[in-house]
Structures are given as structure tokens and as C-alpha cells.
Amino acid sequence: MTLTSELLDRALTLPTDPPLRPLPLEVALLLRELAAPPRLAAHLRAVHDVAVELVDWVRARHPGLAFDREAVLFGAATHDVGKVLHPEELAGPGSAHEAAGRELLLRRGVGADRARFAATHAGGEEPGATVEDLLVAVADKVWKDKRVAGLEDRLVRALAEGAGREPWEEFLALDELLARLGADAGHRLAFQAAFPV
């Protein structure tokens, strides 16, 4: 086992404090097959962990809202997979990984309904963005305590419409959740930074 594969394994399985959930098995296997950079695996694990919190909150607060929980979790766990092909975007800006990630997943047999998150995670601004798209995009921001008002407003509107509630009610509840999730960002950032690009 090489040092890189050892570090990748640690990024995927290392116990953390506070705990980060492991990635879905199919994603962990995919990252191993792709020899993904360890930092990418750590990042995907952090975003996936936040996505679990988000979808569980939505499910508890909006039991009648139809959304695909597993698709959100898969999307969060693979949203940056294109950085395997564009590792320079792990340490700097860039969006080439978005389309590349979608294509990579499609070539590996992932359905378009799930592969899309690799291309849509940047902000959920695409026409017809679904609750699932918005949840993945929010998870990809709030994991590091970044708040994007326009993105959060779109999610608030979608949740309010889906639940038949006033937007201000959804805003207050979502804001409280995102503030709580953002409070743990330092731990997630430190976990990611512990792994090389």
C-alpha cells in the first residue's frame, strides 16, 4: 500500500472528534478506484456529513415534502469528484471539475439523475433547480460556515412552498440550523487540511 492510498484510507475511515459520518460504501469504493487525492476524500466526507444533518432536519420538519434523501447524500458525497481530473482545483479556484465530474460519473454507470450534482453543486442557480440540488449546494457552503444569501433564499422558498408555510418561518428555522452547523466548521476544516492534495 502506497502512502497516498494509506492517506486516502485514513481520510475515508479515520474517527474524528466530533465524529464525521463515513461516506456511502459505493462512493468510498469509487474514490479508491480513482485513487482520489486524500484531501478530496476528506472534503467529500465533511460535506456529506453536513448533508446528512440537512436532510434529516428537512425530513423531521417537513414530513410531507417529497424529496430524494439518498440522491442528496450521494450528490454531497460525489459533488467534487471531477477534482480527481482537475486536482489543481483542490488548492485554488476553478470550475472545470464540474462538467468533468458529471461526465466521469456517467462513464462509470451512475445515472444522470445523480451525476448531475457534480455539475450543479456550485450554487443551485440552474433553472429548475430542485430541493435536492439546493440541499447539496447549501451543504457545500455551510460545511465551512459560508453563508450565501441568494442560495439560502431559494431553499427557503422551496421549503415554504412544499410545506405551505410562510417564508419567514422557514428562514428562521433554516438560519438556526445553518448557524449550528457552521459552528463546527473549524473541526471540519482542520480535518480536511490534515490531508495532502
Side-chain angles (χ1 to χ4, degrees):
M1 182 177 268
T2 67
L3 178 60
T4 301
S5 62
E6 242 177 75
L7 289 170
L8 174 58
D9 191 57
R10 289 176 54 92
L12 292 169
T13 63
L14 187 70
T16 61
D17 184 29
L20 287 176
R21 293 164 183 88
L23 290 170
L25 181 59
E26 67 180 310
V27 175
L29 292 172
L30 172 66
L31 294 176
R32 284 185 174 105
E33 288 172 14
L34 295 171
R39 180 162 300 166
L40 174 60
H43 171 67
L44 293 174
R45 189 171 165 197
V47 174
H48 171 264
D49 190 70
V50 168
V52 171
E53 294 287 330
L54 280 169
V55 296
D56 288 350
W57 177 85
V58 170
R59 181 179 276 169
R61 183 165 169 82
H62 305 284
L65 182 65
F67 75 101
D68 188 339
R69 179 183 189 276
E70 296 310 312
V72 172
L73 297 182
F74 182 85
T78 60
H79 73 281
D80 273 348
V81 72
K83 290 183 180 182
V84 167
L85 303 172
H86 295 279
E88 70 282 0
E89 293 183 11
L90 281 166
S95 59
H97 72 278
E98 294 167 9
R102 181 181 180 280
E103 292 307 312
L104 178 108
L105 291 172
L106 290 171
R107 282 193 310 273
R108 294 213 157 244
V110 174
D113 59 324
R114 290 188 174 207
R116 77 176 194 263
F117 296 107
T120 64
H121 70 273
E125 296 179 13
E126 298 73 26
T130 65
V131 169
E132 292 88 354
D133 295 311
L134 296 170
L135 288 168
V136 171
V138 167
D140 188 36
K141 304 294 187 250
V142 80
W143 79 274
K144 61 184 175 183
D145 199 22
K146 181 175 182 182
R147 303 289 300 267
V148 180
L151 172 60
E152 292 175 23
D153 289 345
R154 286 189 295 282
L155 180 56
V156 162
R157 282 193 303 274
L159 293 174
E161 288 171 16
R165 292 191 179 119
E166 291 296 322
W168 67 265
E169 291 178 85
E170 293 309 306
F171 171 81
L172 291 174
L174 182 65
D175 184 61
E176 181 180 316
L177 171 69
L178 298 182
R180 181 175 58 78
L181 292 172
D184 283 337
H187 298 292
R188 290 186 293 267
L189 286 162
F191 174 71
Q192 176 181 292
F195 295 95
V197 172

